[in-house]
C-alpha cells in the first residue's frame, strides 16, 4: 500500500514526518494521514514523490500495483470483448434490416 511505501521511503531518506511535509509543501497531518492509510489526491502524491526523489509509482507497493494492473487488464479485455460483440451484433442487424 502507498502508506507503507511512503513511511519506508521517508525513513530510508532519514526524514521525520515534519521534514517530509515541509519538503513536499504539505501539512504534517497529510503525511500522518497517508501513513495511517488514508487516501489523498494524485497531486499530493506527486508533491510527496518529488520530495522523496522518486516517481509516483514508487510510492505504491509492487504487489498491490501488480494486482491493480491485473484488474485493469482484465476489465480492459472485457470491454474489448463487449465492443467486439456489439459490432458483430450491429453488423448482423444491419444485414437483416438495412
Amino acid at each position: 500500500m502507498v502508506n507503507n511505501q511512503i513511511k519506508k521511503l521517508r525513513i530510508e531518506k532519514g526524514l521525520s514526518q515534519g521534514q517530509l511535509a515541509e519538503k513536499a509543501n504539505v501539512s504534517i497531518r497529510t503525511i500522518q494521514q497517508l501513513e495511517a492509510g488514508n487516501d489523498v489526491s494524485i497531486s499530493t502524491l506527486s508533491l510527496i514523490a518529488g520530495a522523496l526523489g522518486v516517481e509516483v509509482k514508487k510510492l505504491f507497493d509492487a504487489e498491490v500495483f501488480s494486482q491493480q494492473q491485473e484488474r485493469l487488464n482484465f476489465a480492459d479485455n472485457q470491454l474489448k470483448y463487449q465492443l467486439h460483440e456489439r459490432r458483430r451484433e450491429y453488423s448482423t442487424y444491419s444485414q437483416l434490416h438495412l
Side-chain angles (χ1 to χ4, degrees):
M1 305 264 320
V2 70
N3 58 320
N4 294 331
Q5 289 302 101
I6 289 175
K7 185 174 184 176
K8 178 183 169 211
L9 290 166
R10 176 179 63 75
I11 291 169
E12 284 176 6
K13 303 279 182 182
L15 298 171
S16 68
Q17 288 179 335
Q19 290 169 322
L20 177 56
E22 184 177 327
K23 212 172 168 185
N25 200 28
V26 299
S27 71
I28 190 170
R29 184 71 185 131
T30 298
I31 302 299
Q32 291 168 341
Q33 289 174 337
L34 267 170
E35 290 187 1
N38 296 330
D39 291 330
V40 296
S41 69
I42 191 70
S43 60
T44 300
L45 288 177
S46 182
L47 290 171
I48 292 168
L52 290 168
V54 298
E55 295 178 24
V56 173
K57 68 181 181 179
K58 290 285 187 180
L59 301 180
F60 294 90
D61 182 284
E63 183 179 330
V64 171
F65 187 77
S66 176
Q67 290 171 354
Q68 292 295 338
Q69 191 62 46
E70 287 177 27
R71 288 182 194 150
L72 287 172
N73 289 339
F74 179 74
D76 188 49
N77 288 334
Q78 283 184 316
L79 288 171
K80 286 177 183 175
Y81 174 76
Q82 290 173 355
L83 180 59
H84 172 75
E85 288 299 304
R86 293 303 128 343
R87 286 181 177 156
R88 190 178 61 76
E89 290 170 1
Y90 178 76
S91 177
T92 302
Y93 174 82
S94 296
Q95 291 173 358
L96 294 173
H97 299 307
L98 299 177

